[in-house]
Amino acid sequence: MSDTTQTTEDEWRVKLDPTQFAVLREGATEPAFTGKYWNEKRPGVYTCAGCGTELFSSDTKYESGSGWPSFFTPLAEGRIVEKTDTSHGMVRTEILCANCGGHLGHVFPDGPQPTGLRYCVNSASLELAPED
Ligand code: FE
């Protein structure tokens, strides 16, 4: 993964809280139904908690039942990069912030139309900028 922000590990440790650091910089997964956004319904834009890049719109958020905030598409092309993840004995597609390289979650082919995709994201990777 690349980090166009050139932020060092020490700087990330200062900038992020311990949970955000574990998820964004070390690829951890928050337990289901524990994050601050899995049941969030306010309209707005979800930005990367690491670098502020606008990643997802609440318009594409849906109830997946997974316990993590789920979206059927990113806000725009090029905001997210994908990488094959073979950890934990599974083959999954990891999703990362294209700007800072922060780990967001995974994308699965079981989402709703029109994309059929489920972008399954850790709340710790996101910061909601509410519309009002
Ligand atoms: Fe980022």
Side-chain angles (χ1 to χ4, degrees), residues 48 50-53 97 99-102:
C48 173
C51 72
T53 296
C97 172
N99 185 50
C100 73

Side-chain angles (χ1 to χ4, degrees), residues 3 5 12 24-25 47-53 55 79 96-102 104 125:
D3 178 359
T5 68
W12 282 124
L24 281 164
R25 306 316 306 176
T47 65
C48 173
C51 72
T53 296
L55 297 176
R79 300 292 170 90
L96 307 106
C97 172
N99 185 50
C100 73
L104 303 174
S125 301

